[in-house]
Amino acid sequence: MATAATALGLFVAARLCGVFVLAAAAHLTGKSTFALLGRSWDSLWYLGIAVHGYGRTLHFEPGVIHSDLAFFPLYPGLVRMVTAVVPVSGGAAGLLVSWTAAMAAAWGMYRIGVLLHGHGVATLLVLLWGLLPHSVVLSMAYTEPVLTAFAAWSLYAVLTGRWLWAGVLAALAGASRPNGFAVAAAVVAAAGCEVWKRRGRVPHSLWTGAALAPVGWCAFVLWVGFRKGDPLGGYFAVQRGWGSRFDFGADSLLFVRHLLLEGDRLVFPMTMVIVAAGVLLYALLIADRAPLPLLVHSGALLLITIAGSGFFESKPRFLLPAFPLLLPLACALARTARARPLHAVLVVGALAGLSMAYGAYLVAIAHTPL
């Protein structure tokens, strides 16, 4: 019978193989594997915040202003804590935080999988998460593993009725990334449903957990707003400087039109395919009647990804915390493994090949922001 150790071992093996392939690509292109993993793109912004605090702003063309106030504080705070205790560089500390969080996330989603579908599906859920096309990000000094860890355990707490823990973990998720409020939305929605079903006769811990859930996200947004002189709009002005805003998908549709009519580099068509697959998987998740917290969490992340403007190539990364989308695939793969084991092995092998090759391409060759 599959156990948590088996699931986590497979996850570690998948990610180690991905790192080895990336290291080979880095060697062939004359790059440093450690620099690619620990000091790429957004990692540099987070490490700068960890060392110097907030205050860095880069001005480009008119209207394009990149401020570090766009980055939420939990991850750089954790990096700073690690460097204060362990004599390592900021990049190494970032990797330690991310790798630890990725393991915690894998364990949390395993527990959810066991709760809903049993050990076999739970193990495949963790393995599939480790073999996503953008799973290379889980091995880098990025915030997605941290958000996913808090999200997974918060959702598990909701599903098992631990409302206070759910609220605290959701608040921490909200302090880690802009899309972390999806976890709070899931907690609040589940709490509201429980209140309605029980006609208000619910424990105090439910009300407390629901109230705590959005605190992390709201606190940082308000702090940035006060710092910019506009409490409610300051943070969103910072995001607009990065080209990120909620435009109901208009920018995404224009970019898809560009891809279909004019073509572009491999990264962009792959992004379109991955996001489209996410929409299909969400429809399957609804058809499977998944628990409400999982539907709200994944739906909110999918909505933010599709309807937000900004770096189109980053959209698959934004979906990494939406691990419930993989539940229909895990269930289907479990059925295939029982009926035709060889077919399941071939599917997993193909996913592994795609994940490792594409991950190495993204980080070492593509020169495209993650």
Side-chain angles (χ1 to χ4, degrees):
M1 179 182 289
T3 64
T6 303
L8 294 178
L10 289 171
F11 175 75
V12 170
R15 294 312 327 127
L16 283 177
C17 290
V19 170
F20 288 147
V21 173
L22 172 60
H27 176 73
L28 291 173
T29 55
K31 298 182 175 71
S32 163
T33 304
F34 176 78
L36 291 174
L37 290 174
R39 303 185 65 86
S40 291
W41 302 106
D42 286 0
S43 299
L44 295 173
W45 285 92
Y46 284 113
L47 294 179
I49 296 168
V51 175
H52 305 292
Y54 287 97
R56 183 186 180 203
T57 301
L58 300 179
H59 295 264
F60 297 96
E61 59 188 84
V64 180
I65 303 170
H66 291 180
S67 168
D68 58 10
L69 290 171
F71 298 91
F72 277 55
L74 182 60
Y75 181 77
L78 293 172
V79 171
R80 187 161 188 162
M81 288 173 57
V82 172
T83 56
V85 176
V86 184
V88 294
S89 67
L95 291 175
L96 284 174
V97 170
S98 295
W99 294 347
T100 303
M103 290 294 290
W107 186 20
M109 65 182 69
Y110 173 82
R111 295 292 294 272
I112 290 175
V114 170
L115 187 66
L116 298 178
H117 299 288
H119 294 280
V121 170
T123 299
L124 290 170
L125 173 65
V126 172
L127 180 59
L128 288 172
W129 190 60
L131 293 178
L132 288 171
H134 272 64
S135 61
V136 66
V137 174
L138 304 177
S139 302
M140 299 174 67
Y142 263 69
T143 55
E144 273 69 24
V146 174
L147 170 56
T148 310
F150 286 122
W153 285 104
S154 178
L155 292 171
Y156 179 76
V158 170
L159 294 173
T160 54
R162 297 174 172 88
W163 293 102
L164 190 57
W165 274 111
V168 170
L169 293 168
L172 291 170
S176 64
R177 283 196 52 77
N179 54 353
F181 81 86
V183 186
V187 173
V188 171
C193 183
E194 195 73 9
V195 169
W196 181 78
K197 286 194 301 184
R198 297 191 181 187
R199 299 186 179 182
R201 293 189 291 271
V202 295
H204 293 297
S205 60
L206 183 145
W207 296 106
T208 305
L212 286 173
V215 165
W217 189 86
C218 291
F220 182 70
V221 168
L222 289 173
W223 179 79
V224 173
F226 278 110
R227 183 162 173 157
K228 300 296 289 184
D230 181 4
L232 297 180
Y235 173 77
F236 302 102
V238 169
Q239 285 285 8
R240 285 194 295 274
W242 281 82
S244 298
R245 64 190 183 280
F246 193 85
D247 62 358
F248 299 95
D251 185 70
S252 297
L253 289 174
L254 287 174
F255 203 92
V256 168
R257 179 179 179 275
H258 159 72
L259 290 178
L260 295 176
L261 297 182
E262 302 173 34
D264 214 315
R265 290 177 294 173
L266 174 63
V267 171
F268 298 109
M270 276 291 289
T271 296
M272 182 174 65
V273 171
I274 292 169
V275 173
V279 175
L280 174 60
L281 290 173
Y282 188 63
L284 293 174
L285 195 66
I286 295 173
D288 285 349
R289 298 182 179 180
L292 178 66
L294 304 188
L295 291 175
V296 173
H297 170 70
S298 298
L301 288 171
L302 197 58
L303 178 64
I304 295 165
T305 300
I306 294 173
S309 64
F311 295 97
F312 187 83
E313 62 273 29
S314 297
K315 291 183 182 295
R317 173 167 65 86
F318 300 157
L319 289 177
L320 282 174
F323 65 89
L325 294 176
L326 297 173
L327 276 170
L329 280 183
C331 291
L333 191 57
R335 292 192 293 269
T336 302
R338 288 192 293 269
R340 296 182 174 86
L342 180 59
H343 291 196
V345 171
L346 290 174
V347 169
V348 171
L351 291 174
L354 172 64
S355 172
M356 294 166 197
Y358 188 62
Y361 169 77
L362 275 178
V363 180
I365 299 171
H367 303 295
T368 301
L370 285 171

